[in-house]
Amino acid sequence: MDNANPVVYARTTERPITPGMLNEDLADQFDAREVFDLIRVINDPEHPLTLEELGVVSEAAVQVDDPANQISIEFTPTIPHCSQATLIGLSIRVKLIRSLPSRFKVGVRIAPGTHNSEEAINKQLADKERVAAALENTHLLAVVNQCLGEMREH
Amino acid sequence: MDIELLVADIIKKQCSVLQLIESLQPDLTSTKIEQRAGAIGEVANVLQKLPPAHLNEQEVTTLVQFLCVKLADHFSVSSHAIFGLKALCSCVNLSNAAAEAVFRSVTTELQVQTLNQMERMAVYQIFQLLLQNKLHFLKSINHDFVFGFVRTIDAEKDPRNLLIVFELFPLVVAEFDITRFSEDMFEVIACYFPVDFKPSASGSVTRDQLVELHSRCLSSTPIFGEFMVPLLLEKLASDLRSARLESFNLLRRAAPVYPAAVLLGYGQQLLAAFRRAMFRSAVSDEERRVALTAFAEVVARIARSDSDAGDDAESGREEFFRLLLKECRPNLRELDPNVMEATGRALESAVGVADATTRRQLVTGILPDILAGLADRKDSASKCGLLDILRRLLTASLSSYSPTSVSVELKAYLSGELESICAALYGLATAAAAESATPDSERLRLACLATMGRLCSEPGLASDEQRAGFAEHLLAELGGGRSGQQRQRLPGQPIRPIVCDYARRLAATNADEAASLINKGMLPLATEHSDFGVRADCLLLLGELCDLPESISEPLLGLLMRLCLEAGSTAEAAPTIKSRLDALCLATETSMASTNSRAREFVVGIWTSQFQQFLAAFRHYEAGGDLANAAFGCVQAFARALTAGDESTSVKSAVDWTAQQATEADFRRLHCALLFNLTPETARRHSVALLPSLASRYASDGSEFALQLYASLINKCLDYGRDPSMSPVEQIVLSDVNTLVANSNSERSAAFLAWCLKALLLSGSPLFVKLAGKTLDILRQSGEDQLAVQLAARLELLLKPCEIVLCTAAKATVGPLAGQKCLCLLLQPLLDDARQNKACLLAAISLAQTAPPELIVDYIDSLIPALMLHLRPSNSANAGLRAPILRLLETLASRQDALNAMAPRCLGDLLPRLLACLDPGADLDSRRTSARLLRRLATGGLPAAELLPHKPDVVSRLGAALNDPKRLARSDAAQARNAWFLIG
């Protein structure tokens, strides 16, 4: 285990349901919170904690431009030499592929200066072919599914 | 041979016992013991199973002779003979001669002590039967019988047998002349004293049983006194606490029986034993208590010695009491409160039972010492102890145990001493009152007042001035302390019982003064005192005195009336009204709790006659916070008054008025109050008038509380599990339902029917079946009209836990049996009709949604096809059904057993329907429920093999839902899609 004793952060409270959200006549735009709600519950591959609790993802690090169909996410590994950073990035990517309409172009990157192999990992995560190939690997898919499992969801 | 068959044959007279014996002759005359024993055993077994009246006198006599001879045979033979004889002794036709033969054979042929436990018990049971059936005859052979009895029971050790022996012993003592054998009898029974017995874990005999029966034996005759008292004295000096306790207990029991002369003969030793147990600090409370009760009995016996002794007894008694006084006097200087209390109790017992002369001797002997002690002792606790002794002494010396016992001389003496006693007591009370209130000083002050009350209420003892002074003092105390000495009141208001006691005593001897004390003293305090606590206290006091004779207590009832009327007035400021309401509540509660039936009737009368006015007032008060609570308290008090009242027109008129004119708030209050307090009998009595008027009230203005009160009354009236015929209450309900459904709008009819069904279901009423049928008819026939739709929606009420009080419990929950009944009678027929009839489907959904989940699993087979049939998103005609169907499916799927039962049946049908419901054309609620259901199907532990064929389609269709315009729908769809991705 790379980081045996990580800092644990508090969970964000559930998004309150406003009357507008129940009004059928109003369309709800995708926003950062909605996307953050999708990824904050992803399980860490090593610890029995979510990415939110480990401070790997945050709402501030999510950028959403609904009309332009653009979503950009930066995540912060708990330590600069984290060996699981690629897997975490892959899990975020897979979760968003499964949870967002296909019209969106999603970018997942390591927050600048937070990992020793930042450039290489970002390159891997941005390469659609490599992501698709990774998901063809049954073993790797099982590990990713474990991170996306519902066990520890809120 | 089978004994049962043999006995049956004998009873049917197909053969006789004598024939049986003849047939057994080879065995009976055999030289082998086993054969003889077997044959006699068979005879004994048969005899024990025969009815007591079957054998005639000649047969019984012959058999007795036959078996008596067998008693002399080998012990294995005689053992069976004993049981045979026991059976014969219970025969109706046992002659005196046969009884004598049994008795003589048993006492001469048998060495009872050598028999085993069961055989010995059988012998004692023979004695028991003989005493029960042949007592008169046995008395004619008195000495022989007593001698035989003593010889037989001697040295018995088994506790089971001893229970019988100890029961027989007092009977023999009482019925036979035992003078010649008294010492032997005593020896035989006294050897068990004190009872030393440790019961085994499995044994059925307890030590208490043995002790109780044994002490009954020892106290069964005065003759045992001379033998037992020395033995008791020996055991009273024992180091063993249990022996001392048992000895005191026996002394308590035996003292009234034993001759006074015997007790007086050992008077000095007895007093020494009592001193050790009563007047020493290092004695347990239990021993002191037991010793005191024994002492009371001994002293009472000694005091009653006139009748059975002469002058010697007189002088012996005087000597005894002189010695007692000598024992008590040093205790007045004691510090241990337990010893002081024991001294007080001992003197109380002695003075209470002594004759006039002895009484005077005791009182004049000890009173000066007590008064001197009160003046000398410094601490409050010691003074309290002395006061307690004084109070007990005076109470006992003035008690009317015997009209002649309060002698003129004693009264004259006390009257002369009264001035100094009162001066001492006033001094103490004033000093205690001046101190800061501590438990000790309060106790002292109250003890002074109680003692003075006892003295002043004694006729012919205190002067008018002394009594007036005391009354003034008492009222000042009741009013919170004498002027200038306002005291902090300690909780519990212990002054009240003293005043109450004094007023009662005074009322018995001097009605005028009692009336004056109440009218001029207590009434003004109860109504005009500035402190509410004092007023409340006085009210309670007056309530307690409600049962005094009418001439004295009439003003009390008048006072209650005034308070009630004033409570109804609205012209005063809120705090005043509140205190009046509280006082009214208090007065009602007190009067209702009092044993005085007149006071209770009076309160019921006031409440019912003034009810209208009160309700008007309560509505007015409701605006102001605290007042609402006070008013509610009053209504509850009223409800108790009402329910305590018998059938009366005033109750009926009050109830009718309520049904016609009360507001919703009144209903709410009455609902709670009545339902908590009405008994089923009272409810039934008033239901004939109340139910129809509540129904018509509901029909006219739709008052929800009137309806709930109606349902609650039904529930209260009907007992669960009674016989299935219709009661008058049910007839009324049926008629009300018919009238209301025929004449009211659909909403009211539906609600009324649903509430009635609920109440009847909870009561287990047979009317439920009838009304369930009516409900089904309405739903089937009315199709989709308003009444059917309203009724379908209201049916959920039936199985819901009910917040309203429907049973005595605060929350009525339908039990499994009632739930099953409801589903069986309603849900199943509704499902049968659900394919064609939308109202029936809605009603079925309404029921299934609220039914206990464990019950609904049984209906899944018929429920799911009906739901699938109507879950067609494309069909706009079914749009109104989609949301309730999906909600029910979600409820079912949330339970694992229901999910497992329904999924294999409908997965292929359900998935396309749910996916179709994700379409934005469906309402948000349906889209979300569908997505949640899809997720539940994926995560519900269903076999992956069943789900995998559907996965591509579901994932693809859910992908489209991810672009739903509503965020909540998107979120649910995303969760469902992720869950489906994880399958496999």
Side-chain angles (χ1 to χ4, degrees):
Chain A
M1 194 177 280
D2 292 336
N3 184 5
N5 192 18
V7 180
V8 179
Y9 297 86
R11 291 175 183 173
T12 320
T13 51
E14 291 297 313
R15 184 172 191 159
I17 296 176
T18 59
M21 287 160 80
L22 297 171
N23 186 343
E24 291 263 30
D25 299 331
L26 299 174
D28 299 324
Q29 293 271 306
F30 277 89
D31 60 11
R33 175 62 200 257
E34 186 176 347
V35 176
F36 174 62
D37 277 343
L38 291 171
I39 58 171
R40 70 191 179 101
V41 293
I42 297 173
N43 304 316
D44 183 77
E46 286 185 329
H47 300 286
L49 295 162
T50 62
L51 296 188
E52 180 192 22
E53 287 166 326
L54 290 172
V56 176
V57 293
S58 65
E59 191 180 341
V62 177
Q63 308 289 326
V64 175
D65 187 346
D66 191 4
N69 298 327
Q70 288 280 352
I71 292 175
S72 156
I73 291 161
E74 284 181 353
F75 68 97
T76 311
T78 52
I79 41 171
H81 53 272
C82 177
S83 63
Q84 306 291 331
T86 318
L87 180 59
I88 292 173
L90 188 61
S91 300
I92 295 173
R93 197 159 186 51
V94 171
K95 175 85 185 200
L96 293 179
I97 288 170
R98 290 176 180 177
S99 310
L100 289 171
S102 52
R103 66 183 165 95
F104 280 103
K105 181 173 167 50
V106 180
V108 179
R109 303 170 57 81
I110 289 186
T114 57
H115 199 276
N116 297 344
S117 317
E118 178 188 328
E119 201 172 331
I121 294 172
N122 282 344
K123 205 169 177 185
Q124 277 186 28
L125 291 174
D127 188 339
K128 272 164 74 176
E129 296 302 319
R130 288 178 77 172
V131 170
L135 294 180
E136 294 291 318
N137 180 332
T138 331
H139 172 69
L140 189 57
L141 184 64
V143 178
V144 169
N145 276 346
Q146 234 171 27
C147 293
L148 304 185
E150 292 205 351
M151 236 162 23
R152 299 198 298 270
E153 278 200 14
H154 296 250
Chain B
M1 188 185 284
D2 189 340
I3 297 286
E4 300 292 338
L5 287 176
L6 194 57
V7 171
D9 284 349
I10 295 173
I11 292 173
K12 282 188 236 157
K13 307 265 186 197
Q14 284 167 355
C15 74
S16 69
V17 182
L18 295 181
Q19 281 170 332
L20 168 69
I21 293 175
E22 276 168 18
S23 71
L24 290 171
Q25 195 182 6
D27 287 343
L28 287 169
T29 53
S30 166
T31 50
K32 289 184 181 167
I33 296 166
E34 297 80 23
Q35 283 186 336
R36 295 207 304 278
I40 294 292
E42 195 170 321
V43 174
N45 275 338
V46 168
L47 291 177
Q48 286 180 81
K49 287 180 192 295
L50 284 178
H54 181 79
L55 297 172
N56 61 33
E57 189 176 322
Q58 195 187 350
E59 285 173 321
V60 173
T61 309
T62 313
L63 283 166
V64 163
Q65 284 166 355
F66 169 71
L67 288 174
C68 282
V69 173
K70 299 297 171 194
L71 287 181
D73 203 336
H74 186 269
F75 65 83
S76 358
V77 181
S78 66
S79 163
H80 293 299
I82 294 171
F83 288 99
L85 285 171
K86 187 184 110 184
L88 289 172
C89 284
S90 61
C91 284
V92 177
N93 296 317
L94 180 74
S95 66
N96 288 346
E100 185 174 1
V102 173
F103 165 70
R104 291 204 187 278
S105 304
V106 166
T107 48
T108 52
E109 300 293 346
L110 293 175
Q111 267 294 329
V112 178
Q113 287 72 14
T114 63
L115 303 176
N116 70 27
Q117 185 263 326
M118 292 294 287
E119 292 159 0
R120 293 201 308 276
M121 183 183 267
V123 171
Y124 301 138
Q125 283 166 340
I126 289 176
F127 273 87
Q128 210 167 19
L129 288 164
L130 290 177
L131 280 168
Q132 198 176 311
N133 302 326
K134 295 287 168 189
L135 181 61
H136 188 67
F137 165 72
L138 292 175
K139 280 184 172 182
S140 69
I141 51 164
N142 183 85
H143 290 325
D144 289 359
F145 181 78
V146 176
F147 178 73
F149 178 72
V150 174
R151 237 186 73 168
T152 307
I153 63 169
D154 190 19
E156 178 56 60
K157 281 196 178 123
D158 190 275
R160 288 162 292 181
N161 292 353
L162 280 174
L163 281 186
I164 304 180
V165 169
F166 290 168
E167 268 179 27
L168 291 178
F169 193 90
L171 192 63
V172 174
V173 169
E175 299 290 347
F176 295 84
D177 174 13
I178 61 155
T179 333
R180 215 167 116 186
F181 307 100
S182 58
E183 197 160 353
D184 290 336
M185 286 202 78
F186 177 76
E187 292 294 334
V188 160
I189 206 76
C191 64
Y192 302 104
F193 184 81
V195 172
D196 179 20
F197 170 60
K198 282 191 188 118
S200 62
S202 58
S204 56
V205 181
T206 65
R207 185 176 180 278
D208 288 350
Q209 268 177 311
L210 284 172
V211 168
E212 163 66 22
L213 288 172
H214 185 236
S215 60
R216 212 182 284 173
C217 297
L218 287 173
S219 56
S220 57
T221 169
I223 301 172
F224 289 166
E226 59 174 316
F227 311 120
M228 193 62 213
V229 174
L231 181 62
L232 276 173
L233 286 168
E234 185 191 316
K235 300 294 175 196
L236 285 172
S238 157
D239 289 336
L240 208 61
R241 188 169 155 271
S242 64
R244 294 199 302 272
L245 283 176
E246 201 175 323
S247 302
F248 276 127
N249 273 326
L250 180 63
L251 192 55
R252 170 181 58 81
R253 194 171 191 136
V257 179
Y258 291 171
V262 173
L263 296 174
L264 277 173
Y266 294 98
Q268 202 164 352
Q269 292 97 312
L270 280 171
L271 275 176
F274 282 123
R275 182 185 59 225
R276 287 196 299 273
M278 299 191 309
F279 301 151
R280 270 192 329 173
S281 296
V283 172
S284 71
D285 287 347
E286 188 190 6
E287 189 173 347
R288 202 189 307 275
R289 184 176 49 75
V290 172
L292 275 166
T293 49
F295 175 80
E297 292 296 340
V298 168
V299 88
R301 180 71 191 103
I302 287 173
R304 280 187 283 111
S305 61
D306 296 30
S307 54
D308 54 20
D311 291 345
D312 284 353
E314 181 85 34
S315 60
R317 201 169 60 234
E318 274 178 27
E319 176 64 11
F320 178 83
F321 284 113
R322 196 184 56 73
L323 285 172
L324 171 65
L325 213 51
K326 200 175 149 193
E327 294 287 353
C328 289
R329 204 167 273 145
N331 295 338
L332 301 180
R333 291 186 292 280
E334 256 293 335
L335 288 174
D336 184 349
N338 290 330
V339 173
M340 301 236 333
E341 190 191 337
T343 309
R345 283 183 188 278
L347 283 168
E348 186 181 22
S349 307
V351 171
V353 295
D355 62 311
T357 321
T358 317
R359 231 174 228 217
R360 187 167 184 279
Q361 178 193 342
L362 287 168
V363 175
T364 52
I366 200 106
L367 190 62
D369 288 23
I370 296 174
L371 291 177
L374 280 174
D376 296 345
R377 302 287 283 263
K378 298 286 178 241
D379 59 314
S380 295
S382 301
K383 282 182 187 167
C384 272
L386 282 170
L387 263 181
D388 187 57
I389 297 176
L390 177 63
R391 189 177 55 79
R392 287 178 187 281
L393 191 70
L394 292 171
T395 307
S397 61
L398 296 170
S399 73
S400 54
Y401 168 71
S402 153
T404 56
S405 56
V406 186
S407 68
V408 180
E409 292 89 25
L410 179 59
K411 242 184 189 167
Y413 168 78
L414 283 176
S415 199
E417 291 292 315
L418 194 62
E419 199 61 46
S420 57
I421 296 173
C422 284
L425 294 178
Y426 275 130
L428 281 175
T430 315
E435 288 173 26
S436 58
T438 62
D440 268 352
S441 72
E442 281 293 285
R443 219 182 120 217
L444 181 62
R445 184 174 68 92
L446 295 170
C448 287
L449 293 176
T451 314
M452 281 197 290
R454 184 69 189 83
L455 286 169
C456 289
S457 60
E458 185 64 26
L461 202 62
S463 65
D464 291 350
E465 292 74 37
Q466 281 169 328
R467 276 202 303 280
F470 177 65
E472 190 194 334
H473 189 94
L474 213 52
L475 288 168
E477 290 283 351
L478 194 60
R482 298 179 78 85
S483 56
Q485 297 176 2
Q486 202 68 23
R487 297 166 55 77
Q488 184 199 345
R489 299 171 77 84
L490 287 182
Q493 303 301 344
I495 188 79
R496 206 171 72 223
I498 295 172
V499 185
C500 190
D501 182 59
Y502 179 63
R504 279 183 187 286
R505 284 181 183 282
L506 208 56
T509 56
N510 195 336
D512 289 346
E513 276 194 33
S516 159
L517 176 71
I518 291 168
N519 295 334
K520 294 183 185 158
M522 296 182 199
L523 282 178
L525 279 178
T527 50
E528 289 158 17
H529 199 278
S530 56
D531 182 355
F532 175 70
V534 172
R535 288 203 308 280
D537 212 26
C538 286
L539 258 178
L540 282 173
L541 181 58
L542 293 172
E544 281 174 48
L545 293 171
C546 272
D547 55 348
L548 288 180
E550 210 163 298
S551 56
I552 300 168
S553 67
E554 194 56 48
L556 297 187
L557 300 180
L559 169 76
L560 284 177
M561 170 71 100
R562 210 169 79 214
L563 280 170
C564 294
L565 295 179
E566 281 169 359
S569 135
T570 57
E572 292 181 81
T576 322
I577 299 170
K578 182 179 180 314
S579 69
R580 291 241 186 260
L581 283 172
D582 283 344
L584 171 61
C585 185
L586 208 61
T588 310
E589 297 266 347
T590 312
S591 305
M592 295 317 295
S594 119
T595 50
N596 182 357
S597 58
R598 222 181 118 262
R600 282 207 304 275
E601 280 162 24
F602 182 81
V603 170
V604 172
I606 289 178
W607 271 105
T608 46
S609 62
Q610 300 297 325
F611 187 67
Q612 197 166 337
Q613 192 186 342
F614 292 144
L615 282 181
F618 294 152
R619 279 203 292 279
H620 173 81
Y621 300 149
E622 227 185 14
D626 270 0
L627 287 181
N629 290 334
F632 183 67
C634 275
V635 174
Q636 281 204 313
F638 159 70
R640 274 189 281 279
L642 185 71
T643 52
D646 203 358
E647 185 93 44
S648 69
T649 47
S650 54
V651 170
K652 189 178 172 302
S653 64
V655 162
D656 281 348
W657 184 88
T658 315
Q660 298 307 320
Q661 297 182 38
T663 62
E664 291 288 284
D666 295 333
F667 275 131
R668 197 173 65 239
R669 281 194 294 261
L670 273 173
H671 183 256
C672 297
L674 286 173
L675 284 179
F676 275 118
N677 296 293
L678 273 182
T679 60
E681 290 72 34
T682 329
R684 275 193 284 273
R685 219 165 45 224
H686 296 306
S687 62
V688 180
L690 191 53
L691 285 175
S693 52
L694 280 170
S696 66
R697 168 72 189 263
Y698 175 69
S700 65
D701 69 356
S703 160
E704 193 71 14
F705 275 108
L707 175 57
Q708 286 167 11
L709 188 55
Y710 187 93
S712 307
L713 265 176
I714 301 176
N715 193 247
K716 193 89 184 183
C717 289
L718 302 177
D719 294 330
Y720 199 95
R722 70 210 156 78
D723 70 276
S725 60
M726 293 254 282
S727 69
V729 171
E730 285 158 326
Q731 311 272 14
I732 296 170
V733 174
L734 188 59
S735 137
D736 285 345
V737 167
N738 287 333
T739 318
L740 217 112
V741 171
N743 303 323
S744 283
N745 66 31
S746 57
E747 192 186 341
R748 280 180 203 168
S749 301
F752 192 77
L753 195 50
W755 273 104
C756 288
L757 275 170
K758 170 97 182 174
L760 295 167
L761 177 66
L762 281 170
S763 317
S765 159
L767 183 58
F768 176 78
V769 183
K770 208 162 194 162
L771 280 195
K774 188 177 178 66
T775 308
L776 285 172
D777 289 346
I778 293 174
L779 288 166
R780 283 170 184 152
Q781 289 159 14
S782 316
E784 291 178 34
D785 81 359
Q786 269 301 310
L787 176 58
V789 174
Q790 291 276 355
L791 192 52
R794 282 280 187 169
L795 280 190
E796 66 171 6
L797 175 73
L798 256 89
L799 293 161
K800 253 186 187 171
C802 192
E803 298 289 341
I804 308 295
V805 186
L806 270 183
C807 288
T808 41
K811 236 182 186 184
T813 309
V814 177
L817 279 178
Q820 268 167 5
K821 184 177 170 187
C822 174
L823 293 179
C824 173
L825 283 172
L826 279 169
L827 181 61
Q828 194 58 58
L830 285 170
L831 285 173
D832 294 342
D833 287 7
R835 284 177 175 273
Q836 297 83 33
N837 190 322
K838 223 190 266 183
C840 287
L841 179 71
L842 270 176
I845 291 173
S846 199
L847 274 175
Q849 186 70 270
T850 45
E854 65 277 12
L855 297 182
I856 206 67
V857 178
D858 296 340
Y859 294 86
I860 290 233
D861 277 349
S862 39
L863 190 58
I864 295 296
L867 297 180
M868 288 299 110
L869 187 74
H870 291 276
L871 186 62
R872 281 178 297 188
S874 54
N875 185 350
S876 60
N878 282 345
L881 292 173
R882 190 194 297 133
I885 291 176
L886 285 171
R887 269 201 300 276
L888 177 57
L889 284 170
E890 191 182 17
T891 309
L892 292 175
S894 67
R895 273 185 67 93
Q896 194 62 46
D897 50 356
L899 180 66
N900 291 341
M902 72 183 220
R905 289 175 180 79
C906 67
L907 200 62
D909 283 342
L910 181 61
L911 283 174
R913 286 177 165 78
L914 291 179
L915 291 170
C917 288
L918 294 171
D919 189 84
D923 59 299
L924 175 61
D925 197 24
S926 298
R927 299 203 303 274
R928 291 194 67 196
T929 317
S930 301
R932 282 198 303 268
L933 258 168
L934 284 165
R935 182 184 173 199
R936 173 67 186 146
L937 288 171
T939 57
L942 297 173
E946 282 184 33
L947 297 172
L948 275 173
H950 306 282
K951 182 174 170 181
D953 191 31
V954 173
V955 166
S956 152
R957 298 283 292 273
L958 277 168
L962 296 178
N963 213 12
D964 195 286
K966 295 309 292 176
R967 186 176 294 127
L968 291 170
R970 290 199 297 261
S971 168
D972 288 329
Q975 286 187 30
R977 194 163 187 257
N978 273 287
W980 275 86
F981 263 111
L982 295 177
I983 295 171

